[in-house]
Amino acid sequence: MPPSYANPKKFAEHDVTVGSSPLAVPGTLSLPHGHRKRPGVVLLPPMGSFDRDETSGLNKPLKDLAWGLASRGVAVLRFDMVTYAHSQQVATRRDFTMAEEYVPYAVAAVHLLQQQPTVDPTRVFVLGHSMGGKVAPRIATAEPSIAGLVIMAGDTQPMQRSAIRVARYLARLSPGPASEAAVETMTRQAALVESPELSSSTPARELLFGLSGSYWLDLRSYDPVSTAAALDRPMLILQGGRDYQVTVEDDLSRWKEGLSHRPDVTIQIYEADNHLFFSGTGPSTPAEYDPAQHVDPAVIADIAAWLRPHPGMFARFVRVFSRE
């Protein structure tokens, strides 16, 4: 069942192809009805084998975002990750990097959206969730025509360190030998990621999440905050207060510190939301992702309002506030 904020009668969807190489990926374009020029948004899921909806069990957070924004007059393009659409081909490549996973597809999607007759080509934005948010500044650096960024739960702590933090959090929720072993394994693999011995030939089986040495070398060299600080585009940064994967303390604090000089950055915290921006109470756990649910309506409303042009849209101050 669609979320309450989505009205499929207000937009039409059709399939598209993003990219032109043999590893091009399928996507979905959601276009609001009408002929007036409107803003557009390209959606980016987290790292890994995600489809265009960011399907997680019974939930589809990127589809929620696409339908919610399209219902409010925003054109939206979302696409399958290359690691989902061409998983076997990517798995055999030892030189595959985060940049290759995201940048060419996001740039191609931006260009495709800009070509739509009812989209204002000067107002096409990129919205990334989790790793998609982390990499968004890199994409905007590669494509100057991007009008701005929406970063949802974008991680800034080095991923090898956040992996240990998350493993310890989960071990506290479910203590026991298996959890302790998981923390030990994560710690050992993270140490290799940070070691000067890491190289493109380091076996992926010895590294966190089975990612290649090339992937980790690329990640180590990329700082999302300093990259964002060098951009001249406005940004909306959203964070769930109950998120244990990307946290206010470990990740959002770095966005705040690194972008404190930027008057065109808006930061919003949704105190009741978890990593998928689903609302709840108490400490967040993996089990709370199981029931079918939808992205917080306030998140949809706030993104749509930020995208809508108005005199105070890029106000000359940084706003940081929380939603209960």
Side-chain angles (χ1 to χ4, degrees):
M1 175 175 274
S4 60
Y5 44 75
N7 185 350
K9 294 181 180 180
K10 290 189 173 184
F11 61 93
E13 290 194 317
H14 63 268
D15 293 336
V16 295
T17 298
V18 177
S20 57
S21 74
L23 295 184
V25 298
T28 298
L29 183 60
S30 306
L31 284 176
H33 296 309
H35 301 289
R36 67 179 178 83
K37 295 286 188 178
R38 60 188 74 253
V41 175
V42 170
L43 304 186
L44 303 177
M47 174 194 73
S49 185
F50 277 106
D51 66 10
R52 69 199 75 180
D53 297 333
E54 194 183 338
T55 300
S56 303
L58 299 174
N59 298 296
K60 298 177 181 290
L62 287 194
K63 185 175 183 179
D64 287 350
L65 285 164
W67 282 32
L69 293 174
S71 298
R72 286 160 176 75
V74 178
V76 184
L77 178 56
R78 63 194 195 275
F79 56 88
D80 294 345
M81 294 289 285
V82 65
T83 43
Y84 175 87
H86 303 285
S87 57
Q88 292 184 336
Q89 295 94 317
V90 172
T92 61
R93 288 192 45 195
R94 297 178 63 177
D95 60 344
F96 189 68
T97 64
M98 179 185 70
E100 291 179 88
E101 186 175 17
Y102 282 98
V103 177
Y105 299 97
V107 171
V110 167
H111 292 167
L112 196 159
L113 203 47
Q114 289 171 331
Q115 293 164 10
Q116 302 307 307
T118 59
V119 173
D120 181 346
T122 69
R123 293 169 58 213
V124 171
F125 298 77
V126 166
L127 183 159
H129 176 228
S130 197
M131 176 73 87
K134 182 191 192 89
V135 76
R138 193 174 201 170
I139 294 163
T141 300
E143 180 47 62
S145 70
I146 292 171
L149 303 176
V150 180
I151 298 172
M152 299 180 65
D155 51 307
T156 60
Q157 185 180 38
M159 195 166 74
Q160 67 273 16
R161 298 177 192 173
S162 64
I164 297 172
R165 173 176 52 76
V166 171
R168 287 173 175 163
Y169 176 88
L170 296 177
R172 290 194 296 271
L173 294 178
S174 181
S179 296
E180 293 173 5
V183 172
E184 291 175 3
T185 299
M186 288 274 192
T187 302
R188 182 180 67 255
Q189 293 174 331
L192 181 53
V193 166
E194 295 195 338
S195 167
E197 304 298 320
L198 178 70
S199 73
S200 58
S201 61
T202 303
R205 66 178 178 275
E206 298 179 10
L207 299 169
L208 283 165
F209 311 124
L211 299 174
S212 69
S214 296
Y215 199 102
W216 280 109
L217 288 168
D218 185 32
L219 265 180
R220 284 197 336 190
S221 69
Y222 172 61
D223 180 354
V225 177
S226 63
T227 304
L231 292 171
D232 59 354
R233 264 70 61 83
M235 284 168 271
L236 173 63
I237 300 175
L238 310 180
Q239 174 69 42
R242 296 174 55 250
D243 189 346
Y244 66 82
Q245 293 164 260
V246 176
T247 70
V248 172
E249 179 181 2
D250 299 291
D251 297 284
L252 187 65
S253 61
R254 289 176 168 85
W255 290 118
K256 288 181 178 179
E257 180 180 2
L259 300 174
S260 61
H261 67 292
R262 291 289 302 274
D264 54 354
V265 173
T266 300
I267 298 176
Q268 301 183 8
I269 303 171
Y270 301 83
E271 296 291 353
D273 290 0
N274 61 23
H275 187 61
L276 295 183
F277 290 86
F278 299 156
S279 297
T281 58
S284 181
T285 68
E288 75 176 299
Y289 298 131
D290 294 339
Q293 53 203 301
H294 296 292
V295 169
D296 185 346
V299 171
I300 304 295
D302 288 345
I303 295 172
W306 187 81
L307 293 171
R308 190 179 304 125
H310 58 273
M313 180 176 178
F314 306 139
R316 309 304 291 174
F317 60 89
V318 177
R319 292 178 290 144
V320 182
F321 65 94
S322 299
R323 280 189 180 272
E324 297 297 339

